[in-house]
């Protein structure tokens, strides 16, 4: 990238808008924003941290005038590198706009819907809704690491809840750049906020509107058809996946190709009664039989059904232990602060050559092993007894329905189930949801003799019976470590691997994905393409229509990084995706 005189002037303009304190141009200060949570990273001309919606608009005006690429970034907790630069082969400088200072959440209709501003988070929404007896689309998982509401919508994030489907809305407030290069603000929130961009953004940011200004148009604020879709267990397509054109709409699924200021989404009643059943079996067919029965015959759909293979159980127990302890003892509110402390420690440690990479993680890993075993005795017994673990959460009338079914089912089938206490239920769910980061820690602590990490996020067809991965020997021989976990009711599986030293992970991944194509599976299922997967035609077309000048998050999904979607001379988009 080159820095023209125009882009040098841009730094002055950005500082005038948000102040020098919130305009980062030093490499070490930009690093937490320009490097992905798990993979990816590249150069950014500047990182800007606005404190209001109006400031975002003014930043966008300056960036469009300077002809730079903009990456809108919230918590930067994505697993496919989709909210940071990727490499250096862009044709324009990149400005990252971090929205996390703008975290206001506004209630509509006594909390039945909410407006989440650009940096609002899921755990913040949980706390906001509790006094109203309601909860957000996702209640654990991404919320543990501070994921944002807007980020979930932009990525069609799946979540664990089978009754609610992927994060989705048709009501949002966003900016886009037209084919002619004009910055435009689009207000589809269903709220009368004014006529000019700055007036609209000022009124929303300061909640300067009245109840009479809020309308209830015939637009969805959630995927309210998903409960019917997932019940169709004989369909030959997956229940949800990122490339699903039925759920690509403006901000929903845009993957940062729009500058989203706010979204309006539904909330849901907190169940009066709920119960978690911990199920174990050594036969994948037994789990599939239960899945099909529960989805197709139960009057009351379960709330969630989280799968964990024994290998994931073990890795999560050891290498996700510190995250588990922090969340269990301090709550999810502390996670953003912990991440900020970790970034600061690692930035300073990186200046000392004798310090290990990711010094904070190394320390946390050693300290966590001093803590006694954090998992309940009955779960540990099931770990020894069963290979496949399934955490099924039920609510209200569904509790008794599920219990009666399980008692009858296991009279004639291999396996068993536990009716969890409240404490066991919390421990089981938390153990499952720290799994996502455990493999990275495993690799950090043992990576000297290992190859690279390779991850697959796949959605199998609803009628797939042979869901558990059985790799051919020539592939298995190249893998050192395997981890399998996922959202089993949705047939969404996360298959994570560490290669043996010297193995080409991209080649192995390509070989595995080819087998999924033959089976009608879709990928990615819920983490978005990022810079790890190629966007399929429907998604590429959506990106180009949404962002015709390729001004936002260029290169996402293996698409072009060049202005107006031109291709590199080699005919490739240039992202070097897996």
């Amino acid at each position: 990238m080159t820095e023209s005189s125009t882009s040098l002037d841009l730094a002055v303009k950005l500082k005038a808008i948000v102040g020098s304190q919130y305009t980062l141009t030093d490499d070490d200060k930009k690093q937490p924003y320009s490097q992905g949570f798990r993979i990816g990273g590249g150069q950014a001309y500047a990182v800007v941290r606005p404190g209001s919606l109006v400031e975002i608009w003014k930043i966008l005006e300056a960036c469009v005038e300077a002809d730079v690429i903009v990456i809108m970034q919230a918590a930067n907790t994505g697993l496919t590198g989709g909210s940071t630069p990727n490499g250096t082969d862009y044709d324009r400088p990149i400005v990252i706009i971090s929205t996390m200072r703008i975290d206001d959440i506004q209630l509509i209709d006594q909390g039945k819907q909410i407006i989440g501003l650009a940096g609002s988070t899921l755990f913040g929404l949980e706390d906001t809704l509790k006094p109203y007896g309601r909860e957000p689309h996702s209640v654990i998982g991404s919320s543990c690491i501070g994921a944002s509401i807007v980020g979930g919508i932009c990525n069609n994030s799946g979540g664990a809840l089978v009754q609610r489907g992927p994060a989705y809305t048709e009501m949002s407030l966003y900016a886009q750049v037209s084919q002619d290069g004009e910055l435009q603000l689009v207000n589809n929130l269903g709220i009368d906020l004014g006529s000019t961009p700055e007036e609209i953004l000022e009124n929303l940011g300061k909640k300067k509107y009245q109840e009479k200004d809020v309308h209830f148009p015939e637009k969805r604020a959630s995927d309210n058809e998903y409960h019917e879709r997932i019940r169709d267990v004989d369909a030959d397509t997956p229940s949800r996946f990122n490339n699903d054109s039925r759920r690509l709409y403006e901000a929903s699924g845009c993957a940062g190709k729009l500058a989203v200021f706010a979204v309006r989404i539904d909330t849901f009643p907190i169940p009066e009664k709920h119960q978690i059943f911990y199920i174990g079996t050594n036969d994948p067919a037994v789990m599939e039989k239960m899945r099909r029965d529960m989805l197709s015959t139960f009057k009351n759909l379960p709330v969630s059904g989280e799968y964990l293979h024994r290998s994931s159980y073990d890795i999560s127990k050891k290498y996700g232990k510190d995250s588990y302890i922090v969340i269990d003892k301090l709550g999810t509110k502390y996670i953003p602060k912990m991440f900020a402390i970790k970034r600061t420690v690692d930035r300073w440690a990186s200046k000392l050559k004798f310090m290990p990479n990711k010094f904070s993680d190394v320390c946390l890993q050693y300290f966590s092993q001093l803590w006694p075993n954090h998992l309940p005795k009955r779960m540990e017994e099931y770990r020894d007894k069963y290979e496949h673990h399934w955490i099924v959460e039920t609510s209200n009338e569904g509790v008794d329905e599920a219990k009666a079914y399980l008692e009858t089912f296991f009279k004639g089938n291999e396996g068993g189930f536990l009716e969890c206490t409240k404490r066991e239920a919390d421990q089981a769910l938390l153990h499952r949801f720290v799994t996502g980061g455990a493999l990275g820690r495993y690799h950090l602590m043992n990576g000297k003799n290992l190859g690279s990490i390779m991850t697959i996020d796949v959605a199998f067809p609803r009628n797939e019976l042979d869901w558990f991965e059985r790799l051919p020997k020539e592939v298995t021989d190249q893998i050192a470590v395997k981890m399998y976990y996922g959202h089993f009711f949705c047939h969404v599986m996360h298959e994570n691997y560490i290669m043996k030293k010297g193995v080409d992970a991209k080649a192995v991944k390509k070989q595995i994905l080819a087998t999924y194509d033959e089976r009608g599976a879709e990928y990615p299922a819920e983490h978005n393409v990022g810079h790890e997967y190629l966007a399929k035609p429907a998604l590429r077309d959506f990106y180009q229509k949404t962002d015709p000048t390729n001004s936002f998050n260029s290169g996402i999904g293996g698409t072009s990084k060049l202005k107006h979607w031109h291709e590199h001379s080699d005919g490739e988009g240039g992202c070097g995706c897996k």
Side-chain angles (χ1 to χ4, degrees):
M1 293 187 298
T2 61
E3 294 182 358
S4 65
S5 58
T6 302
S7 64
L8 292 173
D9 292 340
L10 178 59
V12 176
K13 293 180 179 179
L14 296 177
K15 290 177 181 178
I17 296 168
V18 302
S20 298
Q21 178 184 359
Y22 297 112
T23 305
L24 311 179
T25 55
D26 295 339
D27 286 343
D28 62 334
K29 292 182 179 179
K30 291 186 293 184
Q31 192 270 344
Y33 305 89
S34 60
Q35 300 298 309
F37 174 71
R38 186 168 71 182
I39 68 164
Q43 298 177 2
Y45 166 75
V47 175
V48 195
R49 302 182 59 227
S52 72
L53 299 179
V54 173
E55 285 185 359
I56 294 180
W57 177 259
K58 291 180 177 179
I59 292 166
L60 291 173
E61 287 183 314
C63 289
V64 171
E65 182 182 2
D67 193 23
V68 300
I69 295 169
V70 172
I71 295 179
M72 299 293 294
Q73 184 185 95
N76 193 19
T77 57
L79 299 180
T80 57
S83 55
T84 64
N86 187 68
T88 58
D89 54 337
Y90 296 86
D91 62 343
R92 293 152 289 169
I94 296 172
V95 171
I96 298 173
I97 301 178
S98 173
T99 64
M100 295 306 288
R101 293 178 61 211
I102 310 169
D103 59 358
D104 190 30
I105 295 169
Q106 301 173 7
L107 301 178
I108 293 176
D109 193 17
Q110 295 297 305
K112 292 179 182 177
Q113 290 186 332
I114 63 98
I115 302 290
L117 300 194
S120 56
T121 62
L122 288 172
F123 63 76
L125 182 54
E126 284 185 59
D127 288 345
T128 301
L129 291 174
K130 278 180 183 177
Y132 296 85
R134 301 187 73 84
E135 63 187 11
H137 168 271
S138 298
V139 294
I140 195 170
S142 295
S143 55
C144 290
I145 52 177
S148 73
I149 296 170
V150 169
I153 293 293
C154 292
N155 292 320
N156 280 151
S157 297
L161 304 181
V162 302
Q163 300 169 5
R164 302 175 191 174
Y168 180 76
T169 187
E170 295 170 1
M171 292 187 279
S172 60
L173 174 66
Y174 60 88
Q176 65 183 153
V177 177
S178 70
Q179 182 69 48
D180 298 328
E182 179 185 357
L183 183 67
Q184 302 172 333
L185 186 71
V186 179
N187 177 16
N188 284 334
L189 281 176
I191 305 175
D192 296 330
L193 294 166
S195 54
T196 68
E198 291 194 17
E199 181 185 14
I200 291 170
L201 296 168
E202 174 82 6
N203 288 338
L204 179 63
K206 295 185 177 180
K207 203 178 180 183
K208 294 164 62 176
Y209 58 88
Q210 299 177 5
E211 188 175 333
K212 65 180 178 61
D213 298 318
V214 180
H215 306 288
F216 294 86
E218 291 295 318
K219 290 187 175 183
R220 291 187 175 90
S222 63
D223 188 354
N224 57 9
E225 298 175 329
Y226 189 74
H227 64 286
E228 298 174 357
R229 182 177 177 84
I230 197 171
R231 282 187 180 275
D232 187 0
V233 295
D234 292 318
D236 60 2
T237 57
S239 56
R240 59 178 169 92
F241 54 98
N242 283 124
N243 194 50
D244 187 355
S245 58
R246 62 186 282 275
R247 287 298 174 254
L248 299 176
Y249 186 94
E250 295 179 348
S252 297
C254 75
K257 300 303 288 182
L258 296 170
V260 181
F261 292 90
V263 295
R264 178 173 170 179
I265 59 174
D266 290 331
T267 68
F268 304 87
I270 295 175
E272 296 179 3
K273 175 183 178 182
H274 73 92
Q275 175 66 50
I276 285 179
F277 299 97
Y278 197 93
I279 299 169
T281 180
N282 290 304
D283 187 352
V286 168
M287 278 191 60
E288 184 58 35
K289 169 62 175 168
M290 285 189 287
R291 171 188 170 273
R292 292 177 64 87
D293 286 348
M294 291 181 186
L295 291 178
S296 62
T297 68
F298 274 27
K299 182 179 179 181
N300 305 281
L301 273 179
V303 175
S304 66
E306 293 302 289
Y307 169 71
L308 199 65
H309 185 262
R310 180 187 281 154
S311 62
S312 294
Y313 184 108
D314 292 344
I315 292 173
S316 182
K317 177 182 176 181
K318 182 173 182 179
Y319 295 97
K321 188 175 182 179
D322 57 295
S323 295
Y324 177 105
I325 293 168
V326 169
I327 296 170
D328 186 46
K329 303 303 178 184
L330 301 178
T332 57
K333 279 186 176 180
Y334 189 76
I335 292 299
K337 184 179 293 185
M338 186 182 79
F339 270 72
I341 294 171
K342 279 169 51 31
R343 285 195 296 263
T344 300
V345 169
D346 288 341
R347 189 170 73 243
W348 284 104
S350 66
K351 298 178 185 294
L352 303 174
K353 293 183 178 180
F354 62 87
M355 286 288 194
N357 183 37
K358 295 188 177 180
F359 175 70
S360 64
D361 283 278
V362 174
C363 291
L364 286 170
Q365 183 59 37
Y366 282 122
F367 289 148
S368 70
Q369 300 313 300
L370 302 176
W371 198 274
N373 185 11
H374 55 292
L375 298 180
K377 180 181 178 181
R378 293 203 297 171
M379 265 178 61
E380 292 282 73
E381 291 173 350
Y382 262 47
R383 181 267 165 215
D384 294 338
K385 193 173 182 180
Y386 299 116
E387 180 181 0
H388 304 284
H389 299 234
W390 195 16
I391 307 164
V392 175
E393 182 178 1
T394 58
S395 65
N396 297 334
E397 292 83 1
V399 173
D400 293 337
E401 183 178 21
K403 183 178 179 180
Y405 169 82
L406 292 171
E407 288 175 340
T408 300
F409 182 85
F410 282 112
K411 289 178 181 178
N413 292 278
E414 185 270 340
F417 77 98
L418 304 173
E419 189 173 357
C420 293
T421 66
K422 174 64 169 64
R423 177 58 179 160
E424 286 174 331
D426 292 342
Q427 290 173 295
L429 285 175
L430 186 50
H431 181 56
R432 157 64 183 88
F433 285 111
V434 299
T435 302
L439 191 68
R441 177 68 65 76
Y442 181 104
H443 190 263
L444 176 68
M445 302 302 296
N446 303 282
K448 284 185 178 180
N449 300 313
L450 297 170
S452 60
I453 293 176
M454 186 265 282
T455 65
I456 295 177
D457 168 28
V458 60
F460 290 111
R462 284 165 280 176
N463 64 355
E464 176 67 76
L465 300 179
D466 190 17
W467 60 272
F468 185 65
E469 187 56 73
R470 304 292 185 187
L471 298 174
K473 186 176 185 302
E474 61 269 21
V475 172
T476 300
D477 288 347
Q478 301 180 76
I479 297 172
V481 180
K482 302 176 185 176
M483 275 186 77
Y484 300 123
Y485 56 95
H487 313 301
F488 189 62
F489 279 121
C490 304
H491 258 183
V492 167
M493 300 301 298
H494 301 301
E495 300 174 346
N496 297 349
Y497 307 98
I498 301 178
M499 300 294 107
K500 291 181 178 177
K501 205 170 187 65
V503 170
D504 184 346
K506 290 183 179 180
V508 175
K509 184 170 188 174
K510 186 176 181 180
Q511 187 176 352
I512 295 174
L513 293 182
T515 67
Y516 292 159
D517 290 336
E518 295 174 358
R519 296 166 62 183
E522 291 281 354
Y523 50 84
E526 61 178 2
H527 289 160
N528 214 308
V529 288
H531 292 289
E532 193 170 7
Y533 295 90
L534 295 175
K536 293 183 179 180
L539 198 55
R540 295 172 71 98
D541 292 346
F542 176 66
Y543 291 161
Q544 286 192 251
K545 180 181 178 181
T546 301
D547 181 20
T549 62
N550 205 14
S551 297
F552 292 103
N553 210 9
S554 306
I556 194 81
T559 59
S560 171
K561 294 182 176 180
L562 307 183
K563 191 172 182 180
H564 293 295
W565 299 89
H566 295 305
E567 297 292 340
H568 286 260
S569 58
D570 60 1
E572 298 292 334
C575 82
C577 297
K578 295 181 181 179

